[in-house]
Amino acid sequence: MQEAVIKNIDTDYSYQLAKRMEQFHSNEKLGYRPAGSKAEFLTGEMLKDEMQKLGLSDVCKNAVTVDGWEFKNAELTFETKEGKRHTALLGAYQTDFVTDGEQAFSLMYLGKGTEADYEGKDVTGKLVLVDINQRDEWWINYPVYQAHLKGAAAVIAVQCGGYGEVDAKALNAQDIAGPEDAPAFSISRKDAAGLLELLRDQEEITVTFDAESRVTRNCTTYNIVGRIPGKHPDRMVLLSAHYDSYFDGFQDDNTAVALMFGIAKALQDSGFQPNNTIVICAMASEEWGVVDSNFDWSTGAYEQIFTAHPEWVGKVIADLNFELPAHAHNRQDAIRCTYEYADFIRQFTDSLTVPKEAYPDGITVLSPIETWSDDFSMAIAGIPSTVNDFSAGPFMQNYYHSQY
């Protein structure tokens, strides 16, 4: 039966599904499929139809409540020193800011945006350009809320290390972990350099800004669920991955959803009946989903296990979560899991032959789990959880949550 399952693995199917997920987006130029958005809804509908085509049982949509975000556009235009009109395409954070077309603003540069940087400065109603390094210093909500307290119209953050290091044109997107009325956007280092050149000789300049970013509290979104019935219907193995995204989301997390569907397709096409019922769950709202909270990600998974299906606790014997699986994050592969499953999974990985061309340093098992992904919400409810480790290695600071 193992050979039959492997024979039916269709990687082209998974690749094409991951690409098809890119068709639904909120921002025509940058993508984005955020929590509670129309794009997220349409993607969920497509995935529900796909589960039905694969012949999964009991396919359904589980309604969950999240705070929603629609990011349509953000463009900042200024005149260069050479007198040329330049428009910078900006990323955004989950906050409210709507200009209703181009609007003129004064813009000031305030270093890292700390309280000391504001001494003697009046930023009331102005845009504030700040440097940010979210890996090595502090999260975006701190300088954003500082600007808000000082009366600024919005923060324009330029990545100065930490994330988006792959290219000077890279934008970055992260959850805001703050209130929606403290607006924030992301600008590339290349575009910021043009602004800083103008600001070298003057304290502030005039720019035009055209943006539409809206947060709506208490939206309904859907986790999409299908099953492969097992011999023991009340014992379940959960496969999970999220379908909301920043930018086009191919790596984070279309490929994970497509991997999960590819597993389901191979099992179905081979006629395999598992001992335990396999539950396939495409999760909404992983990247963000709660206004003004330190833990504002993994919301769809949290609501799934604490609100939609709390009875899964005690029935789901493992959650196998998938995150960013298309990229080898390091020379060594790793499975991250709860402490309770570490010995069991080490016994399993010891039996594997890992191709040197894939992972020269083999495979390891790490504990405990981290807060980065949906398996955390499952684990704190009492479900033993695992995820392919992705939080270490050069991918994170170079490519993660950027248009690259």
Side-chain angles (χ1 to χ4, degrees):
M1 181 52 71
Q2 183 180 13
E3 290 181 2
V5 173
I6 292 173
K7 183 180 178 181
N8 281 283
I9 292 173
D10 186 349
T11 54
D12 185 63
Y13 163 80
S14 292
Y15 176 82
Q16 295 301 331
L17 177 60
K19 294 300 290 183
R20 274 196 288 146
M21 290 174 66
E22 295 181 3
Q23 68 184 293
F24 304 110
H25 46 259
S26 296
N27 186 308
E28 287 298 323
K29 296 179 180 178
L30 290 179
Y32 282 73
R33 193 165 57 240
S37 67
K38 181 180 179 181
E40 185 182 62
F41 172 80
L42 292 173
T43 305
E45 291 293 290
M46 184 191 81
L47 294 175
K48 176 177 69 70
D49 291 344
E50 195 66 29
M51 283 187 182
Q52 292 171 334
K53 289 176 185 176
L54 292 177
L56 299 187
S57 301
D58 303 319
V59 175
C60 63
K61 296 160 55 179
N62 292 159
V64 295
T65 300
V66 302
D67 293 330
W69 181 39
E70 289 281 8
F71 171 45
K72 297 292 187 181
N73 70 287
E75 297 183 2
L76 188 147
T77 302
F78 59 94
E79 191 174 288
T80 67
K81 276 204 166 182
E82 295 73 31
K84 294 181 180 179
R85 180 179 167 90
H86 177 76
T87 297
L89 198 61
L90 305 189
Y93 300 89
Q94 300 88 349
T95 54
D96 277 325
F97 198 87
V98 180
T99 62
D100 292 321
E102 286 194 349
Q103 185 176 339
F105 287 92
S106 288
L107 180 143
M108 301 178 71
Y109 172 65
L110 286 178
K112 293 186 177 181
T114 67
E115 185 177 22
D117 291 316
Y118 285 85
E119 289 182 8
K121 311 289 186 183
D122 180 9
V123 299
T124 306
K126 300 172 185 176
L127 301 177
V128 174
L129 182 69
V130 303
D131 300 325
I132 187 73
N133 182 329
Q134 290 177 258
R135 275 182 78 81
D136 304 316
E137 294 182 331
W138 46 74
W139 206 244
I140 185 68
N141 58 307
Y142 291 103
V144 168
Y145 200 63
Q146 183 66 65
H148 180 62
L149 292 176
K150 298 294 185 181
V155 160
I156 311 294
V158 54
Q159 309 302 314
C160 292
Y163 292 111
E165 294 182 4
V166 59
D167 193 276
K169 293 181 287 187
L171 297 169
N172 188 245
Q174 303 287 352
D175 59 292
I176 190 68
E180 70 270 44
D181 62 348
F185 298 87
S186 170
I187 191 170
S188 72
R189 297 191 301 279
K190 181 176 176 61
D191 287 328
L195 294 170
L196 291 170
E197 180 70 19
L198 295 172
L199 288 163
R200 185 178 299 171
D201 302 324
Q202 49 195 318
E203 189 172 70
E204 56 189 88
I205 59 174
T206 299
V207 300
T208 58
F209 197 26
D210 183 1
E212 183 178 350
S213 175
R214 301 176 189 269
V215 170
T216 304
R217 297 201 182 204
N218 299 320
C219 294
T220 300
T221 192
Y222 300 92
N223 295 326
I224 314 301
V225 180
R227 296 169 183 254
I228 300 175
K231 298 171 185 175
H232 305 289
D234 284 339
R235 281 169 55 91
M236 300 181 289
V237 174
L238 175 66
L239 308 187
S240 59
H242 70 88
Y243 67 93
D244 62 317
S245 75
Y246 295 118
F247 303 100
D248 288 328
F250 180 79
Q251 159 76 330
D252 185 11
D253 207 20
N254 299 6
T255 52
V257 173
L259 167 67
M260 187 169 64
F261 277 57
I263 291 170
K265 184 177 187 298
L267 294 175
Q268 290 288 85
D269 291 348
S270 67
F272 175 76
Q273 186 186 14
N275 285 323
N276 305 299
T277 294
I278 296 174
V279 179
I280 310 294
C281 187
M283 300 283 195
S285 306
E286 187 265 1
E287 300 291 4
W288 177 87
V290 180
V291 166
D292 205 11
S293 168
N294 283 340
F295 296 93
D296 54 10
W297 61 95
S298 191
T299 311
Y302 183 91
E303 291 299 322
Q304 182 71 8
I305 195 59
F306 283 97
T307 304
H309 280 292
E311 78 281 2
W312 281 4
V313 178
K315 294 182 178 180
V316 176
I317 62 173
D319 168 33
L320 311 183
N321 190 56
F322 303 107
E323 274 279 352
L324 291 74
H327 192 283
H329 296 270
N330 224 322
R331 288 174 53 86
Q332 185 179 61
D333 193 15
I335 298 172
R336 186 170 288 280
C337 66
T338 52
Y339 286 119
E340 292 86 348
Y341 267 18
D343 289 342
F344 169 76
I345 292 176
R346 283 193 186 98
Q347 292 174 23
F348 168 69
T349 57
D350 286 346
S351 71
L352 298 178
T353 300
V354 181
K356 288 291 184 183
E357 62 270 24
Y359 291 101
D361 294 340
I363 187 170
T364 190
V365 178
L366 304 172
S367 293
I369 57 166
E370 297 177 329
T371 63
W372 285 87
S373 46
D374 282 334
D375 48 292
F376 180 76
S377 284
M378 293 293 158
I380 63 175
I383 291 175
S385 300
T386 75
V387 68
N388 55 296
D389 190 62
F390 61 92
S391 60
F395 177 86
M396 298 299 284
Q397 60 262 35
N398 286 330
Y399 303 98
Y400 179 69
H401 283 184
S402 79
Q403 74 271 47
Y404 289 86

